[in-house]
Amino acid sequence: MTLIGIISDTHGSLSPQAYAALADCDHIIHAGDIGGPAILRELETLAPVTAVLGNNDFAEYGSAVDHFARPVIDGVKFLVGHKPGDVRVNCGGASKGLGPGDPIPDVIIHGHTHVPELVVGPEARPASIYMCPGAVCRPRSDFGRTIAKMQVENGRVLHTTIETLNGKVLLEA
C-alpha cells in the first residue's frame, strides 16, 4: 500500500503542522501555487514529490514542474493541474490536461480554489475521484488549513480523506 499526501496553495509557506501532517506519506502531490523551489526541497525530505505550476508560480522550477502532471502511483493514474477548469474531463475524454492518447485518469486533483472538495461517483466521471485538498495557506472555507491523504494499492484507491492540519477528518471516501 502507498500513502499519498496531497496539498495545494502553500504560497511559499509550509508550516511545521503541514510538514508534520505529511511525515507518514510515501509520495506527495502538490497541486500548484507552490511559492518557491524551497517548498519542494522541504517536501522532498519526506517523500518523492509530484508538483504542478499554479497561477502564481513561474519558471523558477525548471522543466521538472509543468502545468500538468500525469503520475501513475501504485497503478493508479492521476491527472493533476492547478485550476479546476483545466483538469475537468468532458464526456468525450477531452481536457486541457490530457493529450491525444493519454489514459483517462482514475483520480483528478486540482488546487486554486483554496476550498476542500471530494467528489466520487457519477459526478466525478470519467474519473473515480475528483478532488481539491483545500489550502495549506490562506484557506477560503470554514474548514481552515487542510491537506488530503489517499491510500492506493495495485491500481485501486482504497481510502481518501481531507483533513485539517491537526488530523481531524473533514471529508472521506
Side-chain angles (χ1 to χ4, degrees), residues 3-172:
L3 181 62
I4 303 167
I6 305 166
I7 65 171
S8 185
D9 296 281
T10 49
H11 292 279
S13 177
L14 185 66
S15 70
Q17 295 87 358
Y19 185 84
L22 297 166
D24 60 345
C25 295
D26 302 305
H27 195 103
I28 297 169
I29 294 175
H30 195 306
D33 277 357
I34 303 160
I39 297 292
L40 297 183
R41 286 193 298 272
E42 191 172 359
L43 290 171
E44 286 168 347
T45 67
L46 296 173
V49 176
T50 300
V52 297
L53 297 171
N55 58 296
N56 291 299
D57 294 316
F58 303 99
E60 68 239 326
Y61 306 96
S63 61
V65 181
D66 203 349
H67 290 285
F68 300 101
R70 296 176 246 353
V72 177
I73 303 170
D74 207 340
V76 176
K77 298 178 294 288
F78 291 83
L79 171 60
V80 185
H82 186 60
K83 293 184 177 180
D86 291 347
V87 293
R88 228 5 170 162
V89 178
N90 69 27
C91 59
S95 167
K96 288 182 184 178
L98 294 176
D102 285 342
I104 297 296
D106 300 307
V107 178
I108 297 172
I109 299 171
H110 71 84
H112 189 62
T113 64
H114 294 227
V115 177
E117 177 182 27
L118 182 58
V119 180
V120 297
E123 293 82 27
R125 285 189 185 137
S128 300
I129 296 175
Y130 175 85
M131 66 177 298
C132 175
V136 173
C137 183
R138 295 184 285 215
R140 295 182 186 144
S141 76
D142 293 336
F143 294 125
R145 296 172 186 217
T146 57
I147 64 164
K149 290 188 177 179
M150 181 177 288
Q151 296 172 340
V152 299
E153 185 175 52
N154 296 323
R156 296 178 326 145
V157 175
L158 304 177
H159 191 245
T160 304
T161 60
I162 295 179
E163 55 192 57
T164 64
L165 295 187
N166 64 7
K168 179 182 174 191
V169 174
L170 303 170
L171 302 166
E172 67 182 314

